[in-house]
Amino acid sequence: MSSICSFTSSISSISPFTSPRKSLNYNKYTPIIHSSLQGTVAEPKASSVAEPLLLNAVRGEDVERPPVWLMRQAGRNWFTSYAHLTNTDHAILLDEIFIPFTSKSYQIICEKHPSFRERSENVDLVVEISLQPWKVFRPDGVILFSDILTPLSGMNIPFDIVKGKGPVIFNPLRTADDVDQVREFVPEESVPYVGEALTILRKEVENKAAVLGFVGAPFTLASYVVEGGSSKHFTKIKRLAFSQPKVLHALLQKFATSMAKYIQYQADSGAQTVQIFDSWATELSPVDFEEFSLPYLKQIVDTVKQSHPNLPLILYASGSGGLLERLALTGVDVVSLDWSVDMAEGRKRLGPDVAVQGNVDPGVLFGSKEFITNRINDVVKKAGKGKHILNLGHGIVVGTPEENVAHFFEVAKGIRY
């Protein structure tokens, strides 16, 4: 068995066929939540019962509670193999990894299919892994099992996820000639399994939850292909940005055009909302973010909204407290906050028209159940009624007790505004 799949956490005992939801007493945790930010949340509209709760909440409709799902719900499980490379935040794709709650079931799949790319490029496996947390916890969002680097092969950028190293770009892009070789992404031809999987997920979930797709943002994708993989200091991408900006802009434009098409493809295939991960945008100063990230994010949003005006788009960038107002300028419907930003302050800075996601510290799940309950209620109260997706401020941390994950959902689903 590959060491990529060798991690066994304390949540491995959960089986998708033995859901802890059967024993939950939601009435035990039904606080009445009042907004601490009068006037900062748009007036709720009447909800549409035919739509998933998550979509109704994002659109500002009247909902009885905030929808809930957790980042790292299903996906690449690298931690034991790669966490030693550098500090954790830069060793791995933290924002794009969704550790399956049903770790034991995922380990069985890993044993049979040790290659991550095999698991993420096989329709049946993608569907099975994506549905594992759904079968256990019934989150309000079911996210596609995939990776932000999945489109690279279709853009003539060979890569792999290598045991002991993580993502490896075989021929890093450093020159104008390198960028000229990058093809525009055609998802129907390059990743048909993504579309097929999303279509099946929509049928399986039946609007009981929203099906989420996701993509990488242009600057984050450019960082990987220029650096040649993960990075700690991002010296290569910054050298290119500051010495040959035209070359980087040409690359970013190709990614922007391609990711807009990818989002449209995911939506046409069944995704009801799409999350954009700009994991490394916060490595840029605000002025550089305005040049190398913001215009391309805005271009993606503008393009998608022309063809899919009702598709909610979520933007997440970890450590983005210094960029919140700029993130809102992209035009996304939801800004996902990490735990370093106070939810009440985040609401004020983003304004009433932008929905928020988050932002419980993942470390809270190591606390007592009472502590977890209090922190959830604190975030929900500060977010106010409506236009809030309850989530962690990042993904679940390795070793999180499974009973605390179950408790998180129990409390979240018991909340009433």
Side-chain angles (χ1 to χ4, degrees), residues 261-388:
K261 287 187 175 182
Y262 196 24
I263 292 175
Q264 291 167 327
Y265 173 70
Q266 291 186 27
D268 290 340
S269 300
Q272 292 163 291
T273 182
V274 176
Q275 183 153 315
I276 304 170
F277 288 97
D278 208 352
S279 312
W280 307 135
T282 51
E283 293 296 325
L284 294 169
S285 68
V287 66
D288 293 321
F289 175 82
E290 291 177 354
E291 179 175 357
F292 297 108
S293 182
L294 178 58
Y296 300 100
L297 288 169
K298 191 175 187 305
Q299 180 181 326
I300 290 173
V301 173
D302 290 345
T303 300
V304 171
K305 289 298 183 179
Q306 288 177 11
S307 59
H308 299 76
N310 297 318
L311 177 72
L313 296 176
I314 306 170
L315 177 59
Y316 179 82
S318 60
S320 60
L323 297 173
L324 285 189
E325 292 84 358
R326 291 172 174 84
L327 296 184
L329 293 176
T330 62
V332 294
D333 303 278
V334 186
V335 171
S336 191
L337 307 177
D338 72 7
W339 70 94
S340 67
V341 179
D342 180 82
M343 178 57 79
E345 294 176 4
R347 272 288 203 194
K348 291 177 181 177
R349 292 172 60 188
L350 289 168
D353 296 327
V354 179
V356 291
Q357 179 173 269
N359 68 337
V360 177
D361 183 342
V364 165
L365 294 181
F366 288 95
S368 68
K369 288 182 173 57
E370 180 181 5
F371 183 73
I372 295 169
T373 300
N374 291 339
R375 284 300 181 89
I376 292 172
N377 289 338
D378 178 65
V379 166
V380 174
K381 180 178 180 180
K382 289 178 176 177
K385 183 178 180 180
K387 299 202 109 175
H388 174 221

Side-chain angles (χ1 to χ4, degrees), residues 7 9 11 69-79 88-103 106 129-130 132-134 137 139 141-146 212 214 275 277 279-280 316 318 339 357 361-363 365-366 391-400 405 409:
F7 170 68
S9 76
I11 53 179
W69 70 283
L70 300 184
M71 286 189 277
R72 297 195 194 145
Q73 215 165 257
R76 194 190 326 154
N77 190 346
W78 290 358
F79 289 90
T88 305
D89 285 336
H90 299 287
I92 52 183
L93 288 168
L94 281 173
D95 302 325
E96 295 72 51
I97 304 172
F98 301 89
I99 300 177
F101 293 139
T102 53
S103 189
Y106 187 62
I129 296 168
S130 300
Q132 284 181 350
W134 165 249
F137 295 107
V142 175
I143 192 161
L144 175 75
F145 171 70
S146 187
L212 290 89
F214 69 95
Q275 183 153 315
F277 288 97
S279 312
W280 307 135
Y316 179 82
S318 60
W339 70 94
Q357 179 173 269
D361 183 342
L365 294 181
F366 288 95
N391 206 316
L392 299 177
H394 214 308
I396 297 174
V397 179
V398 175
T400 300
V405 177
F409 278 99

